[in-house]
Amino acid sequence: MFDTRMAHETAEACDPATSIAATRLHTASERTSLCLADLFADTGAPVAAGASLTDLRFPLRRVRCGESLFRAGDRFESIYIVRAGFFKTTRVQSSGVEQIMAFPGRGDALGLDGVGSGRYRTDVCALDTGLVAVVAFDQLQALAGTHPAIDRLLHLLFAREMTEQQQMICLLGTLMADARVAAFLLHLSGKFARFGQSPTAFLLRMTRQEIGSYLGIKLETVSRSLSMLAAAGLIRVSHRSIMLVDLGGLRDLVAPRSTGAAPRRLAQKALRPRRSPVPRRFAQASAYA
Amino acid sequence: MFDTRMAHETAEACDPATSIAATRLHTASERTSLCLADLFADTGAPVAAGASLTDLRFPLRRVRCGESLFRAGDRFESIYIVRAGFFKTTRVQSSGVEQIMAFPGRGDALGLDGVGSGRYRTDVCALDTGLVAVVAFDQLQALAGTHPAIDRLLHLLFAREMTEQQQMICLLGTLMADARVAAFLLHLSGKFARFGQSPTAFLLRMTRQEIGSYLGIKLETVSRSLSMLAAAGLIRVSHRSIMLVDLGGLRDLVAPRSTGAAPRRLAQKALRPRRSPVPRRFAQASAYA
DNA sequence: CGTAACTTTGATAGCATTCAAAGAAGGTGG
DNA sequence: CCACCTTCTTTGAATGCTATCAAAGTTACG
């Protein structure tokens, strides 16, 4: 149908098992712990000048493909900063239905949802061989007084997670299937770019079912959407190999700029102060006569 | 169709403009600031024994119906703890589409999403007359060293917000319209119960359109779902007046327990370590021949 | 080389959206 | 205080998108 040899080779070159990331992983595996400065670097947090960031050590933990880092209900003791590899975060609802909440990668924090209750609320499982820095939370809190940078780092991680979840809510609340898949691909693209890999050609680490669970659609719909995006010339797909051909077209699908006047009208309406929507004299209403 | 006089009277008794909440609001308005202990009490955070919680003062701010507390893009300076009233949190996407993210009420924190970037990412607007405690964030951070309780409060607020957003993602990702509306009503019910109001009869502060924006469905679908829940005998509806008749039935709709084996099978599959989903010898694959 | 898991595609059914219109409630101005 | 107007809510009918059911092709692994 189309010549994907180039896409194929490019994706191959970006496979973390073979390329730059592999070197990083190798380098990292020679160390057994990280310092605060490493965490700041990994998470992309702005580094405070003059702070002593090298005296605290955080052990590294290797997680093999398919292993779980922690499970929902486990006692909360540490948060984790991903150094290498991809993970999936799953939440099991009371009904037994489970949903994938995120696909964390390098620089992302894991386990923050356990802070409030003392227990993790999600399962985290490695999609390939992963490496995480283990950050004991009570140790972190104890040192927060002498290291103001710790608080800032923690707040940044919280805020980042909240922002990402807000974007997810908007995606699930407003976009239809094709646009969700396009947004997902752009999201991955940005992640790979931050890892120093190609933002336009990569291999998916997860199945169609996992993508569908994440995006709130069925696996068949994911497959169909990918095929439609390919038919529209925006991407190229062959199983797990993805090539983004038209980034602008993908963005337009996620955030169409020709969707007209409705948004502006809504914004204006929001500006105008509203009268109380709750009737003050509700007792005198005649609806119940 | 049905006699709603009782529902009506009960709802009336629960209207914050006329009942217990009104007394509270009156009492609160006589004060112009709160101390840390008040914030702990309002948010339901466990109070640390022996901590000095009364020397810090946080000013109160009154927000009239329709007024906005802050807007997306405003410089982040403070977080707010809601003392009275209902608000709506709106997020405007780059496409101009706006979506309601939450309906915060008493005890909820507002503005936490600004911590990371230094600017608020959402609009917050009062749905009725509201009262909030203004907590200057840099002041809070400066005092965190001497008041360990502050860090714990902040972490609790972050974690609570994250948990609520996770629930929202699950709702949007797995439930259909009727169940979303049922979950929304149960959510409101719990909130009213925490306010000391009736959990089974209350007035909605928001329009069908706002509910729909929050739940990721259209306003007509909200109306239809409410009508269907009423037809099923689970609730009674008349415009903004809601009466929950069968809480168990509503919960079953949100988390059906007879949905069979699929969840358990999925959980078992998740337990089993997976092989690498990324083909190691991808270069030799023949799909591209 | 056979088996199990994953992906793709088709046909059909179900649910939500869209378009449309009428009824009800609240606020405004005379 | 009443009439008008705007907004909100409800309901119907038709369309469109997604889920479901089913089957074939592909890949990976033992």
Side-chain angles (χ1 to χ4, degrees):
Chain A
M1 191 186 260
F2 58 83
D3 182 20
T4 50
R5 266 173 299 183
M6 192 170 62
H8 165 212
E9 288 161 10
T10 315
E12 161 66 16
C14 295
D15 188 338
T18 60
S19 176
I20 308 168
T23 312
R24 280 187 186 147
L25 196 148
H26 182 66
T27 306
S29 67
E30 294 179 349
R31 291 200 254 170
T32 58
S33 69
L34 297 180
C35 66
L36 252 185
D38 295 323
L39 297 187
F40 274 78
D42 280 7
T43 57
V47 180
S52 63
L53 299 172
T54 54
D55 49 345
L56 296 175
R57 307 301 300 185
F58 302 97
L60 284 170
R61 174 172 160 190
R62 193 151 169 276
V63 188
R64 275 169 303 196
C65 173
E67 268 186 16
S68 70
L69 191 59
F70 55 79
R71 308 193 141 275
D74 286 356
R75 186 176 179 74
F76 169 74
E77 286 169 348
S78 306
I79 62 174
Y80 302 88
I81 309 293
V82 180
R83 189 126 237 267
F86 263 91
F87 295 79
K88 66 171 177 180
T89 302
T90 309
R91 188 184 172 99
V92 182
Q93 293 168 284
S94 57
S95 60
V97 179
E98 67 177 28
Q99 178 171 3
I100 291 176
M101 306 295 294
F103 293 111
R106 180 181 173 87
D108 290 320
L110 303 175
L112 283 173
D113 55 5
V115 172
S117 61
R119 296 199 173 274
Y120 297 113
R121 303 191 107 92
T122 52
D123 293 349
V124 170
C125 169
L127 290 179
D128 51 12
T129 298
L131 200 63
V132 298
V134 183
V135 182
F137 194 72
D138 51 2
Q139 172 194 356
L140 206 65
Q141 272 191 318
L143 293 167
T146 55
H147 295 258
I150 288 180
D151 261 346
R152 287 193 300 103
L153 176 62
L154 209 49
H155 296 159
L156 182 84
L157 295 177
F158 270 120
R160 183 179 295 175
E161 186 111 348
M162 275 180 48
T163 301
E164 196 153 325
Q165 286 190 351
Q166 283 184 350
Q167 285 175 341
M168 203 62 208
I169 290 173
C170 288
L171 180 148
L172 294 170
T174 63
L175 301 184
M176 50 190 195
D178 295 345
R180 292 186 194 188
V181 172
F184 174 67
L185 294 178
L186 289 171
H187 182 72
L188 281 184
S189 172
K191 272 196 166 175
F192 283 116
R194 272 187 279 122
F195 302 168
Q197 298 175 37
S198 167
T200 55
F202 45 82
L203 292 179
L204 298 176
R205 305 297 199 285
M206 60 294 284
T207 68
R208 300 287 189 265
Q209 182 174 22
E210 287 168 336
I211 297 171
S213 171
Y214 180 58
L215 297 177
I217 55 183
K218 295 298 169 186
L219 67 96
E220 295 96 329
T221 307
V222 175
S223 182
R224 270 184 249 271
S225 293
L226 286 172
S227 298
M228 288 179 65
L229 293 178
L234 300 178
I235 66 173
R236 291 180 180 180
V237 190
S238 179
H239 302 278
R240 298 284 178 91
S241 172
I242 298 284
M243 188 177 192
L244 307 188
V245 177
D246 183 358
L247 288 172
L250 288 171
R251 291 198 192 94
D252 283 349
L253 197 59
V254 175
R257 48 180 66 99
S258 55
T259 317
R264 183 167 297 173
R265 270 195 61 235
L266 279 172
Q268 286 176 346
K269 289 171 71 147
L271 275 167
R272 189 198 49 175
R274 265 183 31 177
R275 299 298 178 185
S276 169
V278 179
R280 281 181 295 245
R281 297 176 306 156
F282 192 79
Q284 296 169 27
S286 56
Y288 293 105
Chain B
M1 190 185 255
F2 58 82
D3 182 17
T4 51
R5 265 173 299 182
M6 191 169 62
H8 165 212
E9 288 163 9
T10 315
E12 161 65 15
C14 294
D15 188 340
T18 61
S19 177
I20 309 168
T23 314
R24 281 187 188 147
L25 197 146
H26 183 66
T27 306
S29 68
E30 294 179 349
R31 290 200 253 168
T32 59
S33 69
L34 297 180
C35 66
L36 253 186
D38 295 323
L39 296 187
F40 274 77
D42 280 7
T43 57
V47 180
S52 63
L53 299 171
T54 54
D55 49 345
L56 295 174
R57 307 301 300 183
F58 302 96
L60 283 170
R61 175 171 160 190
R62 193 152 168 275
V63 188
R64 276 167 304 198
C65 174
E67 268 186 17
S68 69
L69 190 58
F70 55 78
R71 308 194 142 273
D74 285 356
R75 187 176 178 75
F76 169 74
E77 286 169 349
S78 306
I79 61 174
Y80 303 87
I81 309 293
V82 180
R83 189 126 238 264
F86 263 90
F87 295 78
K88 65 171 178 178
T89 302
T90 308
R91 188 183 171 99
V92 182
Q93 293 169 283
S94 55
S95 60
V97 179
E98 65 178 28
Q99 178 171 2
I100 291 177
M101 305 295 295
F103 293 110
R106 180 181 174 87
D108 289 319
L110 302 175
L112 283 173
D113 56 5
V115 171
S117 63
R119 296 198 174 274
Y120 297 113
R121 302 191 107 93
T122 52
D123 294 348
V124 170
C125 169
L127 291 179
D128 51 12
T129 298
L131 201 62
V132 298
V134 183
V135 182
F137 194 72
D138 51 1
Q139 173 194 355
L140 206 65
Q141 272 191 316
L143 294 167
T146 55
H147 295 259
I150 288 180
D151 261 346
R152 287 192 301 101
L153 177 62
L154 209 49
H155 295 159
L156 182 84
L157 295 177
F158 270 119
R160 183 179 295 174
E161 186 110 349
M162 275 181 47
T163 301
E164 196 153 326
Q165 286 190 351
Q166 282 186 350
Q167 285 174 341
M168 204 60 209
I169 290 174
C170 287
L171 180 148
L172 293 170
T174 64
L175 302 185
M176 48 188 196
D178 295 344
R180 292 186 195 188
V181 172
F184 174 67
L185 294 177
L186 288 171
H187 182 73
L188 280 184
S189 171
K191 271 197 166 175
F192 282 117
R194 273 187 278 121
F195 302 167
Q197 298 176 36
S198 167
T200 55
F202 45 83
L203 291 179
L204 299 176
R205 305 298 199 286
M206 61 294 286
T207 69
R208 300 288 190 264
Q209 183 174 21
E210 287 168 336
I211 297 172
S213 171
Y214 179 58
L215 297 177
I217 53 183
K218 295 298 168 186
L219 67 96
E220 295 96 329
T221 307
V222 175
S223 182
R224 271 184 250 271
S225 293
L226 286 172
S227 298
M228 288 180 65
L229 292 178
L234 299 178
I235 66 173
R236 291 182 179 178
V237 190
S238 180
H239 302 278
R240 300 284 178 92
S241 172
I242 298 285
M243 189 177 191
L244 306 188
V245 177
D246 182 357
L247 288 173
L250 288 172
R251 291 197 192 95
D252 283 349
L253 197 59
V254 175
R257 46 181 66 98
S258 55
T259 317
R264 182 167 297 174
R265 270 194 59 236
L266 279 173
Q268 286 177 347
K269 289 171 72 146
L271 275 167
R272 190 198 48 175
R274 266 185 27 178
R275 301 295 178 187
S276 169
V278 180
R280 280 181 297 244
R281 296 178 306 157
F282 192 79
Q284 296 169 27
S286 57
Y288 293 106

